[in-house]
Amino acid sequence: MIKTYLYDDETKEMVTNLDLGDVHEKLRNPDNLLWIDLYDVHGQELAQIAKLFDFHPLAIEDCLHDSPRAKMDDYEDYKFFVFHALRYNEESDDEITTLELNAFVGSNYVVTIHKHKMGWLRKMDAVCSRYPKFMNRGADFLLYALIDGITDEYFPILDRIDMRIDELEDEIYNKEVRGVTEEFLALKRTIILIRRVILPQRRIFLTVNGKWKFDIREENVPFYIDLLDHLERIVDSAETFRDLVNSALDTYYSITNATSSEKLNVLTLISTIMLPLTFVTGFFGMNVPIPYQNSHWATAVIIFMLIVLTWGMWKYFKNKQLL
């Protein structure tokens, strides 16, 4: 599916479903802005767009294959970006997955390519079909709008992760070992994936000696500063969550180890108490002649001795605070 949106600077209106043969004519006006969005396109359609704008084959190859990290490539006449959105489904085996968005940004055009539907792009489609809200401030502002919308979708995911950490901190005292451990590991994988995605994305917008890595209009600089602030907040939150999960997991292991030690101590004390009792009963149960073996009082004395021995050992362990 190929969608086109053209902001005509002369009429200040939006034109949709533009014929691709008229693209170069419309782009002659540097104040016009063209956005072409390609969703789940085939190689032939992608090759048509690449030929139309003379995109580099390596950039097109990146569009055909998922890239593991965000990046920006400079091709002089245009910039090629790779960004990642997140899809979060707590009930799925892979509870968090990445959705790749490729973007070619020229002086007065933006071409986006993606294989999966993205919520923010659907909202922009509804707006740009009728209003020039995102397209009357240049290609750099349109790029900002695209990335800012994707970035904002990270925050509900982070809020849910924060809630899950609080829930797990409450559950570590009363839940089964295996269940809590699996939840912790799933949460750690989710946080690691978020950090792996967001860190390269943040580097794209970091300034070098106070200069941006690509051209940004002066009036649009505050928007990119705000975008960078959002990315920094996501990075800080991910690192904080990682530390909280590691701390909670260490606490959980300490609790389980302490519980195991208590159980082991109880078993050890029981074995210690039973050892002399077993010796006494074993000694008097031997099939050899023993003094007073035929006496009726011998049984009572032995039972009394076992009771006293058990009570004495229990009292000793109690005084030593071993029980």
Side-chain angles (χ1 to χ4, degrees), residues 5 33-36 109-112 120 124 128 134-148 220 224:
Y5 312 85
L33 179 60
L34 174 67
W35 175 27
I36 301 179
Y109 68 85
V110 174
V111 178
T112 54
W120 177 243
M124 289 193 64
C128 292
F134 298 114
M135 300 189 61
N136 56 359
R137 301 184 184 181
D140 54 334
F141 184 81
L142 177 58
L143 176 67
Y144 155 77
L146 290 167
I147 308 310
D148 184 62
N220 293 331
Y224 277 90

Side-chain angles (χ1 to χ4, degrees), residues 10 69-70 131 134 144 150 203 229 249 296 311:
E10 294 181 359
R69 56 191 294 122
Y131 307 106
F134 298 114
Y144 155 77
I150 291 175
R203 295 191 192 104
D229 177 66
L249 194 56
H296 296 291
W311 179 86

